[in-house]
Amino acid sequence: MAASAMTNTAERSTVPVGARLRDRLFSGSLFWLLVLPAFLFFTVFFVVPTASLFALAFNKSTAGVISLSSVITFDNFVRIFTRSIYYESILRSVGIAAVVSLVCLVFGYPLAYVIAKTVSPGRNALLMILVLSSMQLDMVIRLYGLMVLLGDNGLINGGLIKLGIISAPLPLMYNTFGVVVGLVQITLPFMVLSLIGIIKSIHPSLEEAARSLGASRAKAFSSIVLPLSMPGILAGTLLVFALAISSYVVPALMGGWKVMVMPIHIYQQVAETGRWQFGAAIAVVLFVSSLMAIAVYQRVAMRTTGGRS
């Protein structure tokens, strides 16, 4: 019996302390005790508001009335899909978000690759500071900086006119181009941060093995690094897409209320006309449209990568 006890003690001593602690945390009531605060927060501040929004969308649109009614109607959704101003805004919102995701990937991947492959701790820290510093300023301040740069009398147009390159200001703002530039400026750091960790996890020996077998640097990158970094590309583009399609401040400032996207319509219906039901219906359509676009994109990405994501 003493020998058995010694054997059990010896077996327990060979199990790492971290593994024993993890087994205790994720077994029994302690696991649910740790999960409960996050679950309650998610339920109260996401599930309940979203469910209320969906319920409100099926009520009759009445100015100034917010309370839920038991009478269900589809009039709000019929109005959305029978008036071109609204369904065109859906296509415009999805299109702008897709373009912003693509531009962020094109500009963000090289920067993330350089940061991930930088060996020097000093240079790596400097590059990370440059990426993160753009996220420290308030969004509105950053957008006003872009407005100073892109305005009709801004630095770009003013410089080009003085140099004699153009005779009239270029339309760099209050259009789709200005909205795309503003969204790229806001969401680019999220793309870079999503890619850095994935690229760092790719072992350099894989690329070196491809080079030793005769592959060029470009071939090794396209056949080894790029496919293995696809999970980061997928996560980054989905994050940027979600941020871009739901943005209100950027289209309002950089678009000058001329680029009508779904968040602009939601604001107008809720804040200006007081039709919460119709605004909720637009929000539901935006929510479902973004989910459908993300599902389609993820399916295409899964087929492209052969299921690696």
Side-chain angles (χ1 to χ4, degrees):
M1 185 173 181
S4 177
M6 291 179 63
T7 302
N8 293 334
T9 303
E11 290 177 354
R12 287 197 301 269
S13 63
T14 58
V15 179
V17 178
R20 294 203 302 268
L21 181 61
R22 185 178 63 251
D23 293 340
R24 291 184 59 186
L25 287 176
F26 291 95
S27 62
S29 59
L30 185 58
F31 170 77
W32 298 109
L33 187 62
L34 293 173
V35 172
L36 184 60
F39 176 77
L40 290 176
F41 184 88
F42 181 79
T43 302
V44 172
F45 293 102
F46 179 77
V47 176
V48 173
T50 304
S52 302
L53 186 73
F54 271 74
L56 192 64
F58 291 93
N59 287 174
K60 183 179 179 180
S61 182
T62 306
V65 176
I66 309 177
S67 58
L68 293 174
S69 172
S70 59
V71 179
I72 297 177
T73 178
F74 292 91
D75 292 344
N76 296 322
F77 296 97
V78 172
R79 182 183 177 188
I80 291 174
F81 291 103
T82 55
R83 297 194 179 185
S84 60
I85 187 176
Y86 297 118
Y87 63 74
E88 287 177 359
S89 295
I90 299 173
L91 299 177
R92 188 179 298 112
S93 299
V94 174
I96 289 176
V99 171
V100 170
S101 300
L102 179 61
V103 174
C104 284
L105 178 62
V106 171
F107 285 100
Y109 194 98
L111 178 58
Y113 184 84
V114 170
I115 295 176
K117 296 299 182 180
T118 299
V119 180
S120 173
R123 289 183 180 178
N124 190 280
L126 177 61
L127 292 174
M128 286 297 297
I129 290 173
L130 291 176
V131 172
L132 296 175
S133 62
S134 63
M135 305 174 66
Q136 303 306 310
L137 286 176
D138 181 74
M139 181 189 299
V140 177
I141 297 175
R142 294 156 65 183
L143 291 176
Y144 275 124
L146 278 180
M147 294 172 71
V148 172
L149 192 66
L150 301 177
D152 290 343
N153 298 319
L155 297 178
I156 293 179
N157 278 318
L160 293 177
I161 291 174
K162 285 184 177 180
L163 293 174
I165 299 176
I166 59 176
S167 58
L170 298 174
L172 303 179
M173 271 184 55
Y174 306 132
N175 49 28
T176 303
F177 176 80
V179 174
V180 170
V181 172
L183 288 172
V184 169
Q185 201 274 338
I186 297 297
T187 57
L188 184 59
F190 295 96
M191 175 67 75
V192 174
L193 294 177
S194 300
L195 290 169
I196 289 176
I198 295 295
I199 298 176
K200 276 187 176 181
S201 65
I202 302 174
H203 203 280
S205 60
L206 297 175
E207 195 171 358
E208 293 173 359
R211 294 293 305 280
S212 66
L213 293 175
S216 63
R217 186 179 296 274
K219 182 65 176 178
F221 173 81
S222 61
S223 59
I224 302 295
V225 179
L226 190 60
L228 292 179
S229 60
M230 193 57 67
I233 294 175
L234 179 61
T237 48
L238 290 181
L239 178 59
V240 170
F241 184 90
L243 293 173
I245 198 173
S246 61
S247 177
Y248 161 75
V249 177
V250 178
L253 292 179
M254 301 298 295
W257 297 87
K258 296 179 181 179
V259 182
M260 299 303 294
V261 292
M262 298 300 284
I264 297 291
H265 286 299
I266 295 172
Y267 173 82
Q268 288 180 337
Q269 294 299 322
V270 172
E272 296 181 1
T273 65
R275 297 185 178 274
W276 287 76
Q277 296 82 3
F278 188 60
I282 298 176
V284 169
V285 172
L286 175 62
F287 181 74
V288 174
S289 300
S290 61
L291 287 182
M292 292 175 60
I294 289 173
V296 170
Y297 174 81
Q298 190 168 10
R299 182 176 293 272
V300 172
M302 291 283 287
R303 289 182 177 180
T304 304
T305 60
R308 297 187 306 271
S309 65

